[in-house]
Structure formats: structure tokens, C-alpha cells
Amino acid sequence: MSGRVITITSGKGGVGKTTATANIGAALADMGYKVVCIDADIGLRNLDVVMGLENRIVYDLVDVVEGRCKLRQALIRDKRMGELYLIPAAQTRDKNAISPKDMQRVCDELRPEFDFILIDSPAGIERGFKNAIAPADDVIIVTNPEVSAVRDADRIIGLVEADQKGPAKLIINRINQELIERGDMLAVADVLELLAVDLIGMVPDDQAVLVSTNRGAPISLEQKSRTGQAFRDVAKRLSGQEVAYTEENGSGGLFGRLSKLIRTGGG
Amino acid sequence: MTDKVQIKGIREGLLVSVVEDEGDWNLAEKELLSELDRQKSFLQGAKLILDVNEYGINAAAMGRLRDQISDHGLSLWGVLSRSPLTERSAQAMGLATRIHQTERQAEPADGHGFDPNSDAVLVRRTLRSGASITHTGHVTLIGDLNPGAEIIAGGDVIVWGRLRGLVHAGAEGNQDAVVCALDLAPTQLRIAGHIAIPPQERGQTSPEVAFVRDGQVIAEPWEPGKAIK
Ligand SMILES: Nc1ncnc2c1ncn2[C@@H]1O[C@H](COP(=O)(O)OP(=O)(O)OP(=O)(O)O)[C@@H](O)[C@H]1O
Ligand SMILES: [Mg+2]
């Protein structure tokens, strides 16, 4: 097995990186893949909370890097699932506790054991972001349909390109159909036109996300949820399946004239 | 910008010349790497041809240099030098040591608007937020200039794509500079000392040319057959 390292990042904070990481991770594990999620947000860890694994933390990523434990010991298994693991961030340290090389080393050790290694990146363009993308084979950018988030996403896409990580893929999170129709929110078309990258997911704005986050139970496992479906579709696309954006999976109508643009994928 | 390191676009890629002085290579190398660092966003992904003049660089130092250049996200394609030592180490690493220099003098200055003293860079990619290109001559971009990105040129700026970021043409005071774009919708446009903030709503997306007339920046649709300015 040689696992793919996928980093989930954004530029702007609070757009849904951690939510996306937890949900895509759970969906991939549910599909039968062996998955590990790494919280690279040292000092502001919360992937453990969102995944509902907070109370099981003994060792963290910094312990691994500084040799206080074996990598294996820092892996927390989600017992509710097939093969889903978490490597938590340290809460009491900062980003400088880890270097890009450390991240590469950790991921190289994980690759033979896992199908997918998902890294939850901190916001920003500083050290923490650099750590998170250093080992990446693929980069997913999360943005909201909002001017400032899109501007930051653009900046990040430029930096990812400069790092020769190949074309980044985009998740537009928190899409609110009503606001778009009223003209108060950027449409998916506007976002894609500016960023010109491939879309890999469109996720509705949904209060149920907050509820599932508080319970530490990913919404992507709720079969009836449209939002859950949107995250499951991202997982399928990552695994190589083609999933159309349709009315049934919650993304119909968001496109209008743009469906053509999406299929061709942009530059 | 330091004047010890000069960068210009040539057919093979970017020619980076390290200007000669008495100092040793280590100092010149530092200068070079920090300049590459500064110009990072402009240079990203480019093929570099390094002109190190008389500097003698042995094989070990050449290997280090290549690694450091690739750490900057660039690839070293060739090394030009008058030092036989440098040439040998470059050749040993499979780097080119000759380029075709014919093209730059090829065009005759026959009065058809060709200025042998000006130079232009051609950039072919999307300039995303945070990217910045500064050049004393003209700049041609094939690709979009996104909001948050900027081009600052001593001469004209041509964008074969959507111009949505900031452009400053004639940045050293040239009132005759023009800005052309397929879709001219800048966040801000400057020509010489004039600043224009275009209206938010713009119906058309046809090619336009912007220039200074009567002390104001004006944009006009491009029309076939009509002289620019
Ligand atoms: N699709 C959604 N619908 C509604 N709320 C959402 C959605 N996605 C995320 N949220 C909420 O937005 C908030 C921020 O999400 P999250 O923590 O995942 O963002 P982040 O990008 O990881 O933030 P940070 O930059 O701080 O790490 C959370 O309260 C989360 O519940
Ligand atoms: Mg987060």
C-alpha cells in the first residue's frame, strides 16, 4: 500500500477545514479504506473534538516528532468505524515545534500502512501551513462563497502551485441557496470563474453540521443528510469515482449556466 | 532590488546575470540567492540560465547551487561563464553552457515603433492574489491577473486575459504608457502618476485599452484597425 497524502487547507480561518477533514475521513473509512487524519493545527487542536476522540488522547504529533513515543502510540483508533485513525495535535505547543521535514518523515512512515492520510491544516500562510502542505500529494482548498475567503483561497492556490503540488482541488463549503438567489452571496459560478481550479465538492450551509460537531459524530455517516452526502461525494471523487453534481445530491440548481465549466474543469 | 543581479526573459527561460566584481563567489552567491528569494513569486517554476561571468565555481559548489535553486522552486537549466572551471563543472552536471543569443538583436530598428533599448517580459500563467511582477520594461501576461495580484511596469502592460488586480504602467513616469486587456476590470489602474478606480458595474467584457488623455486615465474599447492612442 502506498497511501496518498491529502492536505486540507484554506488561507482564511473558520471556513470548514476541520469539519471537512473529519467528514471526508469518516466517509473514506466507511467506504472500506484505511484512513488516518492528522491535526496539524498545533496549539489550536480541535480535530479530536470534531471526531469525538478528545478523551482518548495520550500522545500527540509533537510527542512523535520529538521522539517521546512511537508513531503507533499516537494513533487513536475510532472504534465506531472500520479503519479510521487520528493523530492529534499538541495543545500546549506552537507551530514551531514541528518542521516541514518532520511532517514528511511522519507521512513517509504512514504511507505504507494507510490508503489515505488526511492533514487538517491551520489557517494562514505561515509555518503551520507550510508544515501541512510539505508532505502533500494533493491539496484540497476549502472556501466559502464569500469575497474575502475566495481571495485568500486564490492566494493559497498560488502558493500551492509555486510548491509544485499539482493543481489544487476546491471545496466550496456553506453554500446558501437562498442567499445566492437573493444576490447576497457569490454563486458557485463566480467562485470557479475566479479561482479556475477543479471543483471536488459543494457543501450546503447546514445547522446540522454544528450539531454533529458537538456530538463528535461526523454528518457524512448520516445517510439521509444532504450535507453528509456532499461530503461522501468528495470521498468518492477522491477515490477516483466520477460523481455528477445533481439535484439529488444537493447541488442541483447551484450552477445554472455553469455546468459546462465544471465538466471541463478550468485551468 | 540589487544591481548585482539582473534578470531578463530570453527564449530559453530567464537569464539571471550575476554582475562581476572583485568579491568571491560565496558573496555573489548569497546576493544571488537572496535576489531569487525576493523575486520568488515572479520566478516560480521558471527555467533559469545563470550567467556568472568570470566567477570560477567548482563541481561541489555547483551541485550545492543547483540544490539551493531547486529549493527555491526553480530549475537550473544552464550556466554561462567565461571561467573554464565553471564551464567544466556545469557540463559535468549536464547543464547547458551555450545559448542562442541571436534573437535579441534580430529585429532592425526601422522606425516601426521598435525600440531596441526597451525590453519586455512575457509571463504565461495566472497571477493569483499576492503575486507581484515588477519590471522596468513592458510586461505581457498571458493569463488572468486576479484581485490582490499586481503588475508594475516601466512601460506598457498587456494582459491577454482578465485584468482584475492592480496594474501600474509607466511606473517611472511615462505618460504614454498604455494598458491593454481582454477584460479590463482592475481593482485599480495607474498610469504614470494618474490613478483610476474603475466603476464596479461593467456590462461589457470586450478588449479595452487604457491610456492618459488630458490628465485622466481613459479606457476605450479596442477596435480593429484603429490606432492605439
Ligand atoms: N457546511 C456547514 N454548515 C454550517 N456550519 C458549518 C459548515 N461547515 C463548517 N461549519 C461551522 O463553521 C465553524 C468553523 O468550522 P471549522 O472548525 O471546520 O473551520 P476551520 O477552517 O477548521 O477553522 P480554523 O481555521 O479555525 O481551523 C464551525 O462552527 C463549524 O461547525
Ligand atoms: Mg480547523
Side-chain angles (χ1 to χ4, degrees):
Chain A
M1 202 173 336
S2 180
R4 247 163 89 202
V5 179
I6 299 171
T7 297
I8 293 146
T9 187
S10 70
K12 189 170 193 283
V15 296
K17 296 176 292 295
T18 301
T19 307
T21 308
N23 278 287
I24 297 166
L28 283 167
D30 199 43
M31 289 164 71
Y33 292 107
K34 195 172 173 191
V35 182
V36 55
C37 301
I38 305 179
D39 190 346
D41 203 347
I42 314 290
L44 282 173
R45 79 170 176 215
N46 52 22
L47 184 57
D48 53 317
V49 179
V50 176
M51 289 175 76
L53 299 172
E54 184 184 16
N55 53 10
R56 304 216 358 241
I57 297 178
V58 180
Y59 294 112
D60 58 46
L61 185 58
V62 177
D63 291 323
V64 175
V65 164
E66 295 181 348
R68 275 186 299 278
C69 71
K70 295 230 162 55
L71 182 55
R72 212 161 278 289
Q73 294 172 285
L75 283 167
I76 303 171
R77 164 115 190 254
D78 188 335
K79 293 178 184 143
R80 297 162 297 185
M81 296 261 215
E83 298 256 35
L84 180 63
Y85 295 80
L86 166 71
I87 300 180
Q91 181 68 324
T92 54
R93 301 289 295 274
D94 69 23
K95 327 255 177 242
N96 297 318
I98 283 188
S99 74
K101 283 232 157 57
D102 293 329
M103 285 301 285
Q104 273 160 344
R105 228 167 12 86
V106 168
C107 287
D108 286 342
E109 209 177 322
L110 292 167
R111 265 182 233 271
E113 310 273 338
F114 290 90
D115 297 302
F116 288 97
I117 299 149
L118 305 184
I119 301 178
D120 180 15
S121 158
I125 55 174
E126 314 299 331
R127 177 68 170 266
F129 160 75
K130 292 195 174 121
N131 286 341
I133 64 159
D137 299 313
D138 291 291
V139 177
I140 293 181
I141 315 276
V142 182
T143 192
N144 297 152
E146 171 204 321
V147 175
S148 66
V150 171
R151 181 75 58 89
D152 289 354
D154 190 46
R155 176 97 217 256
I156 290 289
I157 293 167
L159 295 174
V160 170
E161 280 171 356
D163 239 37
Q164 300 186 319
K165 289 293 179 191
K169 300 206 164 55
L170 188 72
I171 293 179
I172 306 179
N173 186 28
R174 309 197 70 164
I175 299 171
N176 183 321
Q177 189 58 40
E178 259 168 55
L179 288 183
I180 291 176
E181 273 159 19
R182 288 213 317 254
D184 289 333
M185 185 180 257
L186 287 177
V188 169
D190 303 328
V191 178
L192 289 176
E193 191 199 25
L194 182 81
L195 298 180
V197 289
D198 282 348
L199 191 67
I200 194 166
M202 293 195 290
V203 182
D205 190 35
D206 182 356
Q207 297 212 326
V209 169
L210 196 70
V211 178
S212 83
T213 300
N214 288 342
R215 281 193 294 130
I219 199 166
S220 62
L221 298 179
E222 291 175 27
Q223 298 301 321
K224 289 211 198 77
S225 158
R226 246 167 45 120
T227 307
Q229 182 68 49
F231 282 121
R232 286 197 295 281
D233 286 347
V234 175
K236 286 186 191 155
R237 292 185 187 107
L238 279 176
S239 75
Q241 295 179 37
E242 291 228 359
V243 187
Y245 295 90
T246 62
E247 198 76 55
E248 292 79 69
N249 63 25
S251 37
L254 293 175
F255 284 121
R257 67 188 169 92
L258 214 78
S259 48
K260 206 169 87 246
L261 211 162
I262 283 141
R263 237 162 279 133
T264 54
Chain B
M1 214 185 281
T2 122
D3 44 0
K4 293 220 182 80
V5 179
Q6 286 165 2
I7 302 178
K8 66 167 55 148
I10 59 170
R11 192 170 42 167
E12 287 79 5
L14 285 174
L15 179 65
V16 179
S17 314
V18 182
V19 178
E20 191 71 64
D21 66 4
E22 292 83 78
D24 69 347
W25 170 242
N26 285 334
L27 288 176
E29 185 183 34
K30 267 213 197 83
E31 197 86 50
L32 168 69
L33 290 171
S34 69
E35 183 63 15
L36 293 184
D37 230 15
R38 263 195 296 278
Q39 303 278 338
K40 209 167 177 164
S41 58
F42 167 44
L43 299 171
Q44 263 330 313
K47 239 169 57 178
L48 285 198
I49 297 103
L50 209 55
D51 182 355
V52 296
N53 273 298
E54 304 274 352
Y55 285 113
I57 305 174
N58 66 28
M62 185 68 80
R64 265 201 317 276
L65 179 63
R66 185 178 61 177
D67 290 348
Q68 276 174 304
I69 286 178
S70 77
D71 283 347
H72 282 73
L74 303 165
S75 63
L76 184 58
W77 183 79
V79 175
L80 313 179
S81 174
R82 285 191 297 274
S83 146
L85 170 67
T86 304
E87 278 209 328
R88 268 200 311 279
S89 2
Q91 280 160 357
M93 292 176 56
L95 298 168
T97 51
R98 296 266 182 280
I99 54 165
H100 310 277
Q101 293 219 299
T102 44
E103 205 164 63
R104 271 183 292 156
Q105 277 100 38
E107 211 88 11
D110 59 1
H112 284 95
F114 178 77
D115 174 5
N117 296 318
S118 81
D119 63 342
V121 291
L122 175 66
V123 180
R124 203 163 127 190
R125 63 194 168 92
T126 302
L127 289 187
R128 298 186 181 274
S129 177
S132 167
I133 288 186
T134 306
H135 182 65
T136 49
H138 310 298
V139 174
T140 303
L141 172 68
I142 300 181
D144 292 346
L145 180 75
N146 282 358
E150 61 178 24
I151 295 177
I152 295 164
D156 302 333
V157 175
I158 299 169
V159 176
W160 184 267
R162 294 183 291 227
L163 192 169
R164 294 175 171 178
L166 182 150
V167 166
H168 192 174
E172 283 152 24
N174 179 3
Q175 303 273 340
D176 292 329
V178 298
V179 177
C180 315
L182 291 185
D183 178 9
L184 185 71
T187 15
Q188 198 190 87
L189 192 64
R190 302 183 196 156
I191 297 179
H194 309 281
I195 299 183
I197 298 167
Q200 284 278 306
E201 290 301 325
R202 240 176 41 105
Q204 97 227 59
T205 60
S206 64
E208 286 182 289
V209 188
F211 49 83
V212 176
R213 182 190 287 154
D214 304 328
Q216 267 203 326
V217 178
I218 302 203
E220 274 185 356
W222 171 78
E223 280 169 40
K226 188 174 155 204
I228 288 176
K229 235 199 143 178

